[in-house]
Amino acid sequence: MSKLAICPGSFDPITYGHIDIIQRGARIFDRVIVAVFNNQSKAPLFSVEERIHLIQESVKHLPNVSVDSSDHLLMDYAKEQNADAVIRGLRAVSDFEYEMQITSMNRKLEENIETLFMMTNNQYSFLSSSIVKEVAKYKANVSDLVPEVVEKALKEKYK
Ligand code: ADP
């Protein structure tokens, strides 16, 4: 049976760190849905539509990856989609405690959907959307951190 995984996140904006995890997931699962969840408490820079567009442009080389958004609870969304698993990336030990809390809650909500953690490539272990925004705000070069389409969108925002 074909296996589906969800890669959830804010993706504000997508970085090479996210793309690394999405690619790893796409090699293991038959299908991957990158799902944008709008976490208002994070005061996003990009709208959900803008984030979807940037993700679509960044993953178009991956034929089994699609992009979606949801304002439901992650596990409700995963169930609606009939997903087998949720994939989260781990950068450093600092991610671990937070992710463990969420995962144990998610397991309570939906026992049959597994959460998988993938370790990012070392070169991205310091990388986050917040750091990219901080650097871009001061007009520093982010071309090693995000695809060109994202770099352009950041320039436009901080013009
Ligand atoms: P959230 O608000 O849910 O943390 P993010 O967009 O920050 O959303 O991250 C989405 C997912 O991508 C999370 O699983 C996060 O751990 C992972 N991620 C973010 N940056 C990286 C990175 N540099 N390397 C690996 N995984 C990452």
Side-chain angles (χ1 to χ4, degrees):
M1 222 178 65
S2 141
K3 296 278 184 198
L4 167 68
I6 310 288
C7 280
S10 313
F11 304 102
D12 184 43
I14 189 164
T15 69
Y16 281 139
H18 294 125
I19 295 169
D20 182 54
I21 297 295
I22 295 165
Q23 280 178 176
R24 287 169 196 280
R27 282 203 290 265
I28 298 176
F29 287 87
D30 299 295
R31 269 193 323 126
V32 170
I33 301 177
V34 182
V36 178
F37 286 82
N38 205 11
N39 187 344
Q40 281 301 347
S41 65
K42 285 196 171 178
L45 176 67
F46 291 96
S47 71
V48 170
E49 292 68 30
E50 288 170 323
R51 283 180 263 165
I52 289 179
H53 169 73
L54 295 175
I55 301 168
Q56 275 167 342
E57 289 298 310
S58 309
V59 301
K60 59 183 181 195
H61 59 292
L62 301 169
N64 59 339
V65 176
S66 56
V67 188
D68 193 11
S69 68
S70 172
D71 38 24
H72 295 176
L73 199 59
L74 167 60
M75 289 324 255
D76 289 343
Y77 175 78
K79 198 172 171 194
E80 280 161 32
Q81 298 297 323
N82 248 321
D84 299 282
V86 167
I87 299 177
R88 297 283 293 175
L90 280 183
R91 281 163 290 199
V93 187
S94 49
D95 280 341
F96 188 77
E97 197 166 324
Y98 173 73
E99 292 292 341
M100 236 177 80
Q101 280 178 8
I102 297 200
T103 302
S104 78
M105 177 51 69
N106 285 346
R107 179 171 285 167
K108 218 181 214 154
L109 294 170
E110 203 49 67
E111 214 179 4
N112 296 323
I113 301 177
E114 210 51 62
T115 300
L116 297 184
F117 291 98
M118 289 193 174
M119 229 179 86
T120 181
N121 191 316
N122 286 344
Q123 87 191 93
Y124 303 129
S125 57
F126 66 94
L127 184 53
S128 68
S129 301
S130 321
I131 284 178
V132 166
K133 283 181 277 190
E134 201 57 32
V135 171
K137 203 182 332 187
Y138 294 100
K139 317 265 184 291
N141 183 7
V142 292
S143 62
D144 291 347
L145 314 177
V146 297
E148 206 179 323
V149 62
V150 176
E151 197 185 343
K152 281 195 182 133
L154 281 163
K155 275 198 183 128
E156 200 52 42
K157 285 278 177 197
Y158 290 123
K159 190 158 72 174

